[in-house]
Amino acid sequence: MSLNGRVALVTGGSGGIGAALCRALGAEGARVAVGYHDRTELAESIAQEVGGVAVPADLIVPRGPELLLEQVRESLGEVDILVANHGVAHRASFDEVDAGAWDETLAVNLRAPFLLAQQVIPHMKAQGWGRILFMSSVAAFTGGIVGPHYAASKAGLIGLTHHLASRVAEAGITVNALAPALIEHTDMLPGDPGYLARAIPVGRLGQPEEIADMATAMIRNAYMTSKVVSLDGGMHPR
Ligand SMILES: NC(=O)c1ccc[n+]([C@@H]2O[C@H](COP(=O)([O-])OP(=O)(O)OC[C@H]3O[C@@H](n4cnc5c(N)ncnc54)[C@H](OP(=O)(O)O)[C@@H]3O)[C@@H](O)[C@H]2O)c1
C-alpha cells in the first residue's frame, strides 16, 4: 500500500526514534510534519531533509495537541497518519514521584497522544482511511527502570490502542502501538549503553531505524489493528 502523498505527523520528530520515523515515512513518499518541542534547529534540518515541515508545540499543556494540528493543517493539510511518538522519561523511584511529576509525565505521554488521536479521527473517518500509531515501551509490560509514572503512561497507551481500534476499524483506520526496549542514539537511554545491553537477550541495543522499519510496515498494512508489537531484542517475555 502506497503512502505517497499522505500527510504524516510524527511527534517527537526531533528525537532519536522520531527522526528515523520521519526519514522512513518521507522515503515512502509521505509529506511529513516533524513535531518537536525545544530543538528547533534539529527539527528544521530533519524537515528539510525529508521535504517536510517542522512544527513546534508543548504537548504538556492541554491545548498543545490542538495548536500542533492547526499548524500542520495550515502547512500540509489534514493528518492522514499520526505517529504519536514524543515522550518524556524522568527517572525516579516510586517513593520519589510526587503528584506533580506523575501528572506531567501522564500529560505528555498519555493525554497528548489521546487528544491528538481524538482530533485527527474525524478527517480519517470522513475519507475512509487513516493510521494511528502510539509509541509505548517494554516498560508497559515489565515495569521498566525509569519509574512508575513512565511505566503507567506507556501501559495506558496500550489500553488506548485497544479502545480506539475497535471503534474506528470499520472506517478504514488502524490503531496500533509499538513497544521498544532500549534504543541507541536517543536522549532517553536510562544509563550506559554497554551496561544496558547486558539486559537484552540479543546482546545489543536496538537501532532507531529498526523501529522506523517496523512502524512503516505497520502503517502500510490495512489488516493489522489493535496490536502492540514489541521490538525489544527478546526482553519480554523471556
Ligand atoms: N529510547 C528508548 O530506549 C525508548 C524505549 C522505549 C520507548 N521509547 C519511546 O520512544 C519515543 C521516542 O523517544 P526517543 O527515544 O526518540 O527519545 P528522545 O530522543 O528523548 O526524543 C523525545 C522526543 O519527544 C519530544 N518531547 C518531549 N517533551 C515534549 C513536549 N512537552 N512536547 C512536545 N514534544 C516533546 C522531544 O522534543 P524536543 O527534543 O524538541 O524537546 C523529542 O523529539 C518516546 O515515546 C519514548 O518513551 C524510547
Side-chain angles (χ1 to χ4, degrees):
M1 179 176 294
S2 172
L3 303 182
N4 202 26
R6 297 286 189 189
V7 173
L9 167 60
V10 178
T11 63
S14 52
I17 294 174
L21 289 165
C22 291
R23 291 187 184 107
L25 289 169
E28 293 283 322
R31 298 159 66 219
V32 181
V34 182
Y36 73 99
H37 180 217
D38 277 335
R39 290 181 285 181
T40 307
E41 215 172 300
L42 190 53
E44 281 177 353
S45 90
I46 295 159
Q48 197 177 14
E49 188 187 326
V50 304
V53 294
V55 279
D58 184 359
L59 296 175
I60 202 169
V61 298
R63 280 204 68 215
E66 185 185 338
L67 297 173
L68 181 61
L69 290 169
E70 267 173 31
Q71 295 174 72
V72 181
R73 259 181 226 118
E74 274 167 26
S75 48
L76 297 180
E78 297 285 350
V79 172
D80 304 311
I81 301 166
L82 168 66
V83 185
N85 159 75
H86 70 279
V88 287
H90 302 303
R91 204 166 174 184
S93 63
F94 76 87
D95 50 355
E96 289 169 345
V97 175
D98 60 17
W102 177 273
D103 286 351
E104 279 181 21
T105 293
L106 271 286
V108 177
N109 289 6
L110 185 56
R111 184 180 66 198
F114 165 64
L115 292 175
L116 285 165
Q118 187 185 48
Q119 290 169 42
V120 296
I121 282 173
H123 158 72
M124 293 177 176
K125 263 190 171 172
Q127 71 175 3
W129 194 96
R131 297 287 182 268
I132 296 172
L133 183 65
F134 296 118
M135 198 57 70
S136 180
S137 166
V138 69
F141 303 110
T142 64
I145 55 175
V146 176
H149 48 337
Y150 183 77
S153 70
K154 294 299 180 179
L157 288 173
I158 295 176
L160 180 59
T161 298
H162 298 318
H163 182 93
L164 292 178
S166 60
R167 286 163 177 81
V168 298
E170 268 190 59
I173 305 169
T174 69
V175 186
N176 293 295
L178 259 171
L182 300 160
I183 306 301
E184 215 164 356
H185 311 303
T186 64
D187 290 338
M188 210 171 262
L189 270 188
D192 171 64
Y195 177 77
L196 292 171
R198 287 193 233 151
I200 304 173
V202 301
R204 65 168 177 85
L205 303 186
Q207 298 298 312
E209 293 72 24
E210 291 173 316
I211 304 298
D213 199 42
M214 179 58 69
T216 307
M218 292 167 78
I219 289 166
R220 288 167 63 99
N221 197 307
Y223 202 57
M224 171 184 264
T225 195
S226 200
K227 295 293 171 284
V228 183
V229 173
S230 295
L231 261 186
D232 59 13
M235 272 184 99
H236 178 79
R238 58 185 302 177

Coordinates of all heavy atoms in Angstrom, one line a residue, residues 13 15-25 27-28 46 49 85 133 135 178 180 182-186 204-218 231:
G13 N 9.6 14.3 16.6 CA 10.4 14.1 15.4 C 11.8 14.6 15.5 O 12.7 14.2 14.7
G15 N 13.6 13.8 18.1 CA 14.3 12.8 18.9 C 14.9 11.7 18.1 O 14.8 11.7 16.8
G16 N 15.6 10.8 18.8 CA 16.3 9.7 18.0 C 15.4 8.8 17.2 O 15.7 8.6 16.0
I17 N 14.4 8.3 17.9 CA 13.5 7.4 17.1 C 12.6 8.3 16.1 O 12.4 7.8 15.0 CB 12.5 6.7 18.1 CG1 13.4 5.7 19.0 CG2 11.4 5.9 17.4 CD1 12.6 5.0 20.1
G18 N 12.2 9.4 16.6 CA 11.3 10.3 15.7 C 12.0 10.7 14.4 O 11.4 10.6 13.4
A19 N 13.3 11.0 14.5 CA 14.0 11.4 13.2 C 14.0 10.2 12.3 O 13.8 10.4 11.1 CB 15.4 11.8 13.6
A20 N 14.2 9.0 12.8 CA 14.3 7.8 11.9 C 12.9 7.6 11.3 O 12.7 7.2 10.2 CB 14.7 6.6 12.7
L21 N 11.8 7.8 12.1 CA 10.4 7.7 11.6 C 10.2 8.7 10.5 O 9.5 8.3 9.5 CB 9.4 7.9 12.8 CG 9.4 6.8 13.9 CD1 8.6 7.4 15.1 CD2 8.7 5.6 13.3
C22 N 10.6 9.9 10.7 CA 10.4 10.9 9.7 C 11.1 10.5 8.4 O 10.5 10.7 7.3 CB 10.9 12.3 10.1 SG 10.0 13.0 11.5
R23 N 12.3 10.0 8.5 CA 13.0 9.7 7.3 C 12.4 8.5 6.6 O 12.2 8.5 5.3 CB 14.5 9.3 7.6 CG 15.3 10.5 8.1 CD 16.8 10.1 8.3 NE 17.5 11.3 8.8 CZ 17.9 11.5 10.1 NH1 17.8 10.5 10.9 NH2 18.5 12.6 10.4
A24 N 11.9 7.5 7.4 CA 11.3 6.3 6.8 C 10.0 6.7 6.1 O 9.7 6.2 5.0 CB 11.1 5.2 7.8
L25 N 9.2 7.5 6.7 CA 7.9 7.9 6.1 C 8.1 8.8 4.9 O 7.4 8.7 3.9 CB 7.0 8.6 7.1 CG 6.5 7.6 8.2 CD1 5.8 8.3 9.3 CD2 5.5 6.6 7.6
A27 N 10.7 8.6 2.9 CA 11.1 7.7 1.9 C 10.0 7.0 1.2 O 10.0 6.5 0.1 CB 12.1 6.7 2.4
E28 N 8.8 6.8 1.9 CA 7.6 6.2 1.4 C 6.8 7.2 0.6 O 5.7 6.8 0.2 CB 6.8 5.6 2.5 CG 7.4 4.5 3.3 CD 7.3 3.1 2.5 OE1 6.3 2.9 1.9 OE2 8.3 2.4 2.6
I46 N 15.8 18.1 9.9 CA 15.2 16.9 9.6 C 14.0 17.1 8.6 O 13.9 16.5 7.5 CB 14.6 16.1 10.8 CG1 15.8 15.7 11.7 CG2 13.8 14.9 10.4 CD1 15.5 15.4 13.1
E49 N 15.5 17.8 5.2 CA 16.0 16.5 4.6 C 14.9 15.7 4.0 O 15.1 15.1 3.0 CB 16.7 15.7 5.8 CG 17.4 14.5 5.4 CD 17.9 13.7 6.6 OE1 18.2 14.3 7.6 OE2 17.9 12.5 6.5
N85 N 4.7 9.8 18.9 CA 6.0 9.2 19.3 C 6.7 10.0 20.4 O 7.6 9.4 21.1 CB 6.9 9.1 18.0 CG 8.3 9.0 18.4 OD1 8.8 7.9 18.8 ND2 9.1 10.1 18.2
L133 N -0.5 5.4 15.2 CA 0.5 4.5 15.8 C 1.0 5.2 17.1 O 1.5 6.4 17.0 CB 1.7 4.3 14.9 CG 2.7 3.3 15.4 CD1 2.2 1.9 15.6 CD2 3.9 3.3 14.4
M135 N 3.6 5.2 20.5 CA 4.9 4.7 20.9 C 4.8 4.3 22.4 O 5.0 5.2 23.2 CB 6.0 5.7 20.6 CG 7.4 5.1 20.6 SD 7.6 3.7 19.4 CE 7.5 4.6 17.8
L178 N 3.7 0.4 19.2 CA 5.0 -0.3 19.2 C 5.5 -0.2 20.6 O 5.4 0.9 21.3 CB 5.9 0.5 18.2 CG 6.1 -0.1 16.9 CD1 6.9 0.9 16.0 CD2 6.9 -1.4 17.0
P180 N 9.1 -0.5 22.1 CA 10.5 -0.8 22.0 C 11.1 -1.0 23.4 O 10.5 -0.6 24.4 CB 11.1 0.5 21.4 CG 9.9 1.4 21.1 CD 8.8 0.9 21.9
L182 N 15.4 -0.8 24.7 CA 16.4 0.2 24.8 C 17.0 0.5 23.4 O 17.5 -0.4 22.8 CB 17.5 -0.3 25.8 CG 17.0 -0.6 27.2 CD1 17.9 -1.5 28.0 CD2 16.8 0.7 28.0
I183 N 16.8 1.7 23.0 CA 17.2 2.1 21.7 C 18.3 3.1 21.7 O 18.3 4.1 22.3 CB 15.9 2.7 20.9 CG1 14.7 1.7 21.0 CG2 16.3 3.0 19.5 CD1 15.0 0.4 20.4
E184 N 19.3 2.8 20.9 CA 20.5 3.6 20.8 C 20.3 4.9 20.1 O 19.3 5.0 19.3 CB 21.6 2.8 20.0 CG 23.0 3.0 20.5 CD 24.0 1.9 20.0 OE1 23.5 1.0 19.3 OE2 25.1 2.1 20.3
H185 N 21.2 5.9 20.3 CA 21.1 7.2 19.6 C 19.8 7.9 20.0 O 19.2 8.6 19.1 CB 21.2 7.0 18.1 CG 22.4 6.2 17.6 ND1 23.7 6.5 18.0 CD2 22.4 5.1 16.9 CE1 24.5 5.5 17.5 NE2 23.8 4.7 16.9
T186 N 19.4 7.8 21.2 CA 18.3 8.6 21.7 C 18.7 9.3 23.0 O 19.7 8.8 23.6 CB 17.0 7.7 22.0 OG1 17.4 6.8 23.1 CG2 16.6 6.8 20.8
R204 N 22.6 -6.5 22.3 CA 22.9 -5.1 21.9 C 21.6 -4.3 22.0 O 20.5 -4.8 22.1 CB 23.3 -5.1 20.4 CG 22.3 -5.6 19.4 CD 22.7 -5.3 18.0 NE 21.7 -5.8 17.0 CZ 20.6 -5.2 16.6 NH1 20.3 -4.0 17.1 NH2 19.8 -5.7 15.8
L205 N 21.8 -3.0 21.9 CA 20.6 -2.1 21.9 C 20.0 -2.1 20.6 O 20.6 -2.5 19.6 CB 21.1 -0.6 22.3 CG 21.8 -0.4 23.6 CD1 22.0 1.0 23.9 CD2 21.0 -1.0 24.8
G206 N 18.7 -1.6 20.5 CA 18.1 -1.5 19.2 C 18.5 -0.2 18.5 O 19.0 0.7 19.1
Q207 N 18.2 -0.2 17.2 CA 18.5 1.0 16.4 C 17.2 1.7 16.1 O 16.2 1.1 15.8 CB 19.3 0.6 15.1 CG 20.6 -0.1 15.3 CD 21.6 0.8 16.0 OE1 21.8 1.9 15.7 NE2 22.2 0.2 17.1
P208 N 17.3 3.1 16.0 CA 16.1 3.8 15.7 C 15.5 3.4 14.3 O 14.3 3.3 14.1 CB 16.6 5.3 15.6 CG 17.8 5.3 16.5 CD 18.4 4.0 16.4
E209 N 16.4 3.0 13.4 CA 15.9 2.6 12.1 C 15.1 1.3 12.1 O 14.3 1.0 11.3 CB 17.1 2.4 11.1 CG 17.9 3.7 10.7 CD 18.7 4.3 11.9 OE1 19.1 3.5 12.8 OE2 18.9 5.5 11.9
E210 N 15.5 0.4 13.1 CA 14.7 -0.8 13.3 C 13.3 -0.5 13.7 O 12.3 -1.2 13.4 CB 15.5 -1.8 14.3 CG 16.8 -2.3 13.7 CD 17.6 -3.1 14.6 OE1 17.8 -2.7 15.8 OE2 18.1 -4.2 14.2
I211 N 13.2 0.5 14.6 CA 11.8 0.9 15.0 C 11.0 1.5 13.8 O 9.9 1.2 13.6 CB 11.9 1.9 16.1 CG1 12.7 1.4 17.3 CG2 10.5 2.4 16.6 CD1 12.2 0.2 18.0
A212 N 11.7 2.3 13.1 CA 11.1 3.0 11.9 C 10.7 2.0 10.9 O 9.6 2.2 10.2 CB 12.1 4.1 11.4
D213 N 11.5 1.0 10.7 CA 11.2 0.0 9.7 C 9.9 -0.8 10.0 O 9.0 -1.0 9.2 CB 12.4 -1.0 9.7 CG 12.5 -1.8 8.5 OD1 12.3 -1.3 7.4 OD2 12.7 -3.0 8.6
M214 N 9.8 -1.1 11.3 CA 8.6 -1.8 11.8 C 7.4 -0.9 11.7 O 6.3 -1.3 11.3 CB 8.8 -2.4 13.2 CG 7.6 -3.1 13.8 SD 7.0 -4.5 12.8 CE 8.4 -5.6 13.0
A215 N 7.6 0.3 12.1 CA 6.5 1.3 12.1 C 5.9 1.5 10.7 O 4.7 1.5 10.5 CB 7.0 2.7 12.6
T216 N 6.8 1.6 9.7 CA 6.4 1.8 8.4 C 5.6 0.5 7.9 O 4.5 0.7 7.2 CB 7.6 2.0 7.5 OG1 8.3 3.0 8.0 CG2 7.2 2.4 6.1
A217 N 6.0 -0.7 8.2 CA 5.3 -1.9 7.8 C 3.9 -1.9 8.5 O 2.9 -2.2 7.8 CB 6.1 -3.1 8.3
M218 N 3.8 -1.5 9.7 CA 2.5 -1.4 10.4 C 1.6 -0.4 9.8 O 0.4 -0.6 9.7 CB 2.7 -1.2 11.9 CG 3.4 -2.3 12.6 SD 4.0 -1.9 14.3 CE 2.4 -1.9 15.2
L231 N 9.4 -4.6 20.2 CA 10.7 -4.6 19.4 C 11.7 -4.4 20.5 O 12.1 -3.3 20.8 CB 10.7 -3.5 18.4 CG 10.5 -3.8 17.0 CD1 10.7 -2.6 16.1 CD2 11.3 -5.0 16.5

